[in-house]
Amino acid sequence: MSQQGYVATPPYSQSQPGIGLSPPHYGHYGDPAHSTSPPGMMKPAGPLGPAPPGGILSPGPPPPGPHQFGQNGAHPSGPPPQRFPGPSPASGAAPSYAPYPPSAQQSPYTGSTSTSSVGQLGSQLGAMHINSYGSGMTPPNQGSPGPLPAASLQGPPRPPQPSILQPGSQVLPPPPTTLNGPGASPLPPPTHRQDGPPGPPPPNAQYQPPPLPGQNLGSGYPPQQGNYGPQMAGPQLSYPGGFPGAPAQMVGPPQLPKKLDPDAIPSPIQVIENDRSAREGQVYATHTRGQVPPLVTTDCVIQDQGNASPRYIRCTAYCFPCTSDMAKQAQIPLAAIIKPFATIPSNETPLYLVNHGETGPVRCNRCKAYMCPFMQFIEGGRRYQCGFCSCVNDVPPFYFQHLDHIGRRLDHYEKPELSLGSYEYAATLDYCRKNKPPNPPAFIFMIDVSYSNIKSGLVKLICEELKTMLERLPKEEQEETSAIRVGFITYNKVLHFFNVKSNLAQPQMMVVTDVAEIFVPLLDGFLVNYQESQAVIHNLLDQIPEMFANSNENETVFAPVIQAGMEALKAADCPGKLFIFHSSLPTAEAPGKLKNRDDKKLVNTDKEKILFQPQTNVYDSLAKDCVTNGCCVTLFLFPNQYVDVASLGLVPQLTGGTLYKYNNFQLHLDSQQFLNDLRNDIEKKIGFDAIMRVRTSTGFRATDFFGGIFMNNTTDVEMAAIDCDKAVTVEFKHDDKLGEDTGALIQCAVLYTTISGQRRLRIHNLSLNCSSQLAEVYKSCETDALINFFAKSAFKAVLHQPLKVIREILVNQTAHILACYRKNCAAPSTASQLILPDAMKVLPAYMNCLLKNCVLLSRPEISTDERAYQRQLVMTMDVAASQIFFYPLLLPIHTVDVKSTALPTALRCLESRLSEEGIFLLANGLNMFLWVGVSSPPELIQGIFNVPSFAHINTNMVSLPEIGNPYSQTLRMIMGIIQQKRPYTMKLTIVKQREQPEVVFRQFLVEEKGLYGGSSYVDFLCCVHKEICQLLN
Amino acid sequence: MATYLEFIQQNEERDGVRFSWNVWPSSRLEATRMVVPLACLLTPLKERPDLPPVQYDPVLCSRPTCKAILNPLCQVDYRAKLWACNFCFQRNQFPPAYAGISEVNQPAELMPQFSTVEYMLQRGAQTPLIFLYVVDTCLEEDDLQALKESLQMSLSLLPPDALVGLITFGRMVQVHELSCEGISKSYVFRGTKDLTAKQIQDMLGLTKPAMPMQQARPAQPQEHPFVSSRFLQPVHKIDMNLTDLLGELQRDPWPVTQGKRPLRSTGVALSIAVGLLEGTFPNTGARIMLFTGGPPTQGPGMVVGDELKVPIRSWHDIEKDNARLMKKATKHYEMLANRTATNGHCIDIYACALDQTGLLEMKCCANLTGGHMVMGDSFNTSLFKQTFQRIFTKDFNGDFRMAFGATLDIKTSRELKIAGAIGPCVSLNVKGPCVSENELGVGGTSQWKICGLDPTSTLGIYFEVVNQHNAPIPQGGRGAIQFVTHYQHSSTQRRIRVTTVARNWADAQSQLRHIEAAFDQEAAAVLMARLGVFRAESEEGPDVLRWLDRQLIRLCQKFGQYNKDDPNSFRLSDTFSLYPQFMFHLRRSPFLQVFNNSPDESSYYRHHFARQDLTQSLIMIQPILYSYSFHGPPEPVLLDSSSILADRILLMDTFFQIVIYLGETIAQWRKAGYQDMPEYENFKHLLQAPLDDAQEILQARFPMPRYINTEHGGSQARFLLSKVNPSQTHNNLYAWGQETGAPILTDDVSLQVFMDHLKKLAVSSAS
């Protein structure tokens, strides 16, 4: 692999002034001009600072050619010199086997070190678990043989210590079959293997190594493929090499049958469980600057004591490096994932509302930051110094208060804005559009009544359900009824508006056929109070299905529908939300007309990005208009074929709406899922017409934003609406030095309109530490947040760059972050050791999951719409959602204690964790699978499915029968807990072992090699390790 | 033989025709010297209770260029069963059905008293009548309410099988679907976008599967309520629905800010109405009835912007070429009017507002299609309500007094050619041998289309004598004209009314007396007035007046008896004596004078002048004045300021207004309350008499006149004072020292002055 080419290139996030002025490759996906990076990479003495990891590579041969990746070294066929300077073992030693040179006898990066370490990566990796898990956790592989206690226990007792792979300390023994305990039966032979090893077959078929990445990894991560594929010299050397565990040098294939034990590498589940056991159920108070909160998977009570709850803001690192040089060196993205409207559990305090009357919030004169705990009162309380810009402001007379002996205002604890991290301000007219108080928002329901929707019964279903759902429009707690007004539109090729004014005897329908220039035909009576117009609305909802029962209109329009809704809101001068129920590609003659452009030939080419881009710019400008008018679009899609999600989904995405997709919607199967989604979406807590501004203390600033947002300039994040499930990821960059004592302060202010039409400001404050010690930085990182950031930035980049490049960048940055740690923070050790920072122990595991997400996999087998859909979903995910999305939750059901109400301990997403005798539940936030082993206990099957045996289980069900026995109750309770608070209703699929649907299920066993490509975790870790080693050299 | 007066009257009653000359000068040269052209006023559908239609098709001359209809003037050979066309002299076989005719067994059309025959055609699909209401919703609440009530009421007056449709407009235009159960449905259009007919039909979903429908239509006339049925429905089916729909009609809901006019999309609404009918029922009887309460303020056909500070155009603006929007709007409505006329539909305009509503621009819609134009102050007045109701009055047969889609075809004998027509018609551009190259009015054709007409609709038809002077017509020769009006009766039958008239030729040199005696000065005045008004539409007012004056002087020179240069010797014979007076009043009439009238009013007056029959037209030219006093029974008096006496009550009928004026003394008496004292009951009766007479006029007239009840010194008295001949003004009041009459404060010349000048000019040898 040639990642070392990347070493010096800017990581994803950090702009690197040192590398010339050209836009950094990573930070700017769209920018092909990363040609200036090689110098930085090649010349350690360059501006990169004292010890760029790549520095050691300095005198390497020049890049092979001018082609783009040659410079960065990441080109598939590039000759290795640059990567393997000096001895160039990879080539010299007739590389052992394809994917992972580390396992070669002459590992390139170990070339200069002890011979003993040569080719011992396997053992190192094998040992890794010892160190990483040793720290107070029970190693999962208790059954593993002796070496464990023997050598490598230096690390374990220090939990915060990084995991260290001790070189040579452990030779990975052939994994005993009992390694994983009862469930660890031999892995089923990977069905996906396409080509067997060319060499002699492994002696032990049960331990077949992972397939050759170079050959059949597909798009797992091409660099690997690219670099190693060509190097496979001889048949014997091309022996499945994912598997670096050769204990001996120069081992021949027969001696390398052992696979690196997955249990020996850092386990995400273990990390989660550790954090749980340490912090679950505790009170987490936010008084301390820069403290790392519990993981998203840990349930604890959060007490606001001056910093925003992690439910609102999570950061990738809670200690920022002091200088940009350090940041560049570490390449850890500095980002915050902000979920301003996060739902707060009932046992935590809701936000206080501060109302200063007509004067409005107190703000710093210079930077306009809002009064917050970071303001320092001085001169007896007459003035205060802004924590963000250091400007000294006069305290407004009405706000004056004396200070106590420690310089704190006497009313410190009485004013939320002085003592809390999060609170709300009542906004004054200055904060309103046109200086007028806003009108309460409106919901407009827009139903596609074309033939297919009528025929599938969807229209009837929607109309029926709306009658009850409208009773539950969101309202302020103190209000009796909702202030939200509702309106209805149906459409096919033309639009039908409905007048449902309360004084009408029957609704009136107004057909607008001029879709080229859509307009709103009525004002009065279109948006009505549901309670007042209930009779007319019910009348209408009863009639809609009949009215179009005989329609045979197949064509639909789409952009005019959104336009109509937006114009209606504009005319009514209120913000609002459109609920669009749509099913087909809009082919009727109208603006935004789309054609089927799903071209599988584009997959895996540089043009693949086109598939993710909208077909026309109509939707772009429409989205802009929508945001300007506070019009949020939520789209429910019911496609039976390609509908161009990339185009249709653009407006929902940019307007802070949600896209729901139900492939091949069938009324009897999918209606529950859809209705739950619809119900949740209607009831969601939501703010409209929002503008978010993220202010920071001096020395750094917010530079990039990801999410369901729209930006007209570089600082104001505009959102037509933002609901409780939407998160915005904000990236920060240095523009100066940060002080260790002042720390880094972040204030996120969201100006929005409530559901009752009040204008409010929601303020979240967070203070972070700063350090000039990289170790401190590494210690404070949060992997879940990092993955959230990486996912969003990569998925955004998908629009502009070839996927291959993106994948390479991700792999490289991972390696780089870890290499930097290794180089700067870890205790000196052999270069071949894989040492992972404690906080990033599972970064490779998660990164691998991200890499094999279907968006980043260039495979024609995956539907284009599905990829576009998932791409869009991820863009607004918060940390919890991205965590479970990329690393699904796998729960054993057969071993559950039916008396306990807690969730069982999750399992790693490995095939070896499944057992024929068991039933397992897997959830990723979108889908839920109940996997039933062929030998599952009949009483369990009876208890859950109410059928006598495995054979009787009907896999067509989408919900479990409600049976009164403990198994059923417990399982349904577990499913309920998992579903709770998830933005999307997960569709349940029953998977019987060894039946066809299992293929789908297996894709979610993310630590395994993917069906459509993507390497296993083990392989990936090896790959990363190799990268690191190269970097270190 | 009776007098010419009786002859004229008899002819009018029988044929609905009045000629300016009833004996025709026999050569072209002589005819031009007669000054007043040979012309006639034709009332094609004049009510003839005594004339039942015949139940068969007319017999046509077989010559393709002639196709005249068998008439009493034709030579018939009963034995050979042949007839000779009296226009082209073609000899024609009678059709088999006429096998039994003989001198004693003649079909009606051969009998001399049946110079007018109405045939009821036996073929052709019968399409129900169509009434499409186009309703402005930008009205005041009570106006809208009144209009809604009128419309609801009208549903009960329509023929039950008539198709009815509803379009409402304001800022948007809504086409209402009428067949919906449970929900009222309408198609909405933006009021600012000009749409082509095709777009409109596409958007309304009216585009029919072209080919099958064309072929299927003759075969299955039953399947008539086709695509359009959603918008046009039989009244009997949906009158409940429509009544409710009208009842629920709201004022245009879009807010109108201070200082703005409501946005009114009249242009688009009309365009959609036209397009709707065009696409679904071409060439069938249909009325588009536009009810508007203000000027179009947006979109195509916009007459004035929505800024109130910019007033609507006045004559002053138009003269100064300052009416920015007028030309464009006029063009839009002309385009619509022409399309409508092509399709045989007619457009009525009911405009009720205090200010102008853009009738000037929209007038062609009614003028070219034979639609009605009604102008009032508010829909909530009896003027509108009664007028509207009167549209649906029925005749002695119980049929509606309206006909549709008529074509008027005129045949003349060889000595004559057709110069043109003036009236609610459009040219069909049918050139033929009898079409003159000189146009008077709408010419260049022998056929016109009159999309909507009623029994009083009257056209002025102008002819030209083409016989050369050196080829005299034999003594006793007669010229003939045949008017063939093919129309759809309100009972939806197709009918043809044929009127064949003949007049004697006379040599103007030897028989000038005859010609003079056969002059119909009333018809001539109206026909000349029509020419004048027609010219006024396109020419400057003073030019038209000069032309009229010149014609009058020439006529006096030709037919007056005088000694050269001796004005006092000037005499006119009885048949000409009233003519100068008509011309005097015509010059002062609102048809030629725009002073004190808005452009809309001028358009309105001219519209009615160009379609009313002779009697009404004369009233318009010279209003009639009745006097009521204790000195005798009510009597007509001179339309002169000298008629305004203190002890009289005057009743003036100007056609558009009925004015009751109490003289000074009468007014004082009434003020003193004498009418309430039993001993002065005769005074009460005197007061009541003109009221009763006025009621009678009000009951009969369409459109209903404005009713003004005023007295000496009242502000409304101006309506009377502006009409009477100002024989006494502030200039000459004291010169005579008389006490009679009321002086008019005007600089206008009086009839006496006018006549003096006329005599002077007529006898002058210089001219």
Side-chain angles (χ1 to χ4, degrees), chain A residues 502-534:
Chain A
S502 57
N503 60 4
L504 292 176
Q506 57 185 34
Q508 292 174 353
M509 172 181 184
M510 298 178 139
V511 186
V512 172
T513 47
D514 189 1
V515 288
E517 275 181 80
I518 204 73
F519 60 95
V520 183
L522 78 170
L523 194 58
D524 195 26
F526 177 63
L527 295 176
V528 295
N529 181 304
Y530 170 72
Q531 305 298 339
E532 286 169 11
S533 291
Q534 193 178 22

Side-chain angles (χ1 to χ4, degrees), chain A residues 857-931:
Chain A
L857 276 187
S858 301
R859 297 294 290 203
E861 293 90 339
I862 308 164
S863 105
T864 309
D865 272 350
E866 187 59 30
R867 297 173 73 191
Y869 174 62
Q870 293 203 7
R871 191 191 84 79
Q872 180 174 342
L873 289 190
V874 168
M875 291 312 286
T876 59
M877 275 185 180
D878 67 343
V879 179
S882 61
Q883 192 274 332
I884 197 174
F885 180 71
F886 289 113
Y887 195 90
L889 183 65
L890 178 64
L891 298 177
I893 297 301
H894 53 289
T895 57
V896 160
D897 174 9
V898 294
K899 292 182 193 75
S900 154
T901 56
L903 289 185
T905 304
L907 300 174
R908 296 177 61 176
C909 295
L910 279 168
E911 279 195 12
S912 58
R913 295 298 188 271
L914 304 177
S915 68
E916 282 189 0
E917 297 85 29
I919 296 179
F920 297 85
L921 184 68
L922 182 142
N924 77 337
L926 292 181
N927 294 292
M928 215 186 264
F929 295 92
L930 193 60
W931 185 89

Side-chain angles (χ1 to χ4, degrees), chain A residues 508-511 513 517 543, chain B residues 174 182 184 186 188 190 203:
Chain A
Q508 292 174 353
M509 172 181 184
M510 298 178 139
V511 186
T513 47
E517 275 181 80
Q543 287 195 50
Chain B
Q174 278 176 265
S184 59
S186 59
V188 188
R190 198 191 275 274
M203 286 177 176

Side-chain angles (χ1 to χ4, degrees), chain B residues 365-387:
Chain B
C365 291
N367 287 346
L368 300 185
T369 65
H372 300 302
M373 189 190 280
V374 174
M375 191 171 80
D377 291 343
S378 156
F379 288 108
N380 199 13
T381 56
S382 61
L383 186 144
F384 167 73
K385 292 177 185 170
Q386 303 272 329
T387 305

Side-chain angles (χ1 to χ4, degrees), chain A residues 54-121:
Chain A
I56 45 169
L57 303 175
S58 51
H67 54 286
Q68 79 177 107
F69 295 120
Q71 297 164 340
N72 282 336
H75 62 92
S77 58
Q82 149 193 28
R83 304 188 303 266
F84 306 116
S88 181
S91 50
S96 52
Y97 24 66
Y100 300 120
S103 51
Q105 68 282 32
Q106 272 294 100
S107 189
Y109 43 83
T110 55
S112 57
T113 56
S114 75
T115 49
S116 67
S117 67
V118 171
Q120 294 198 357
L121 176 66

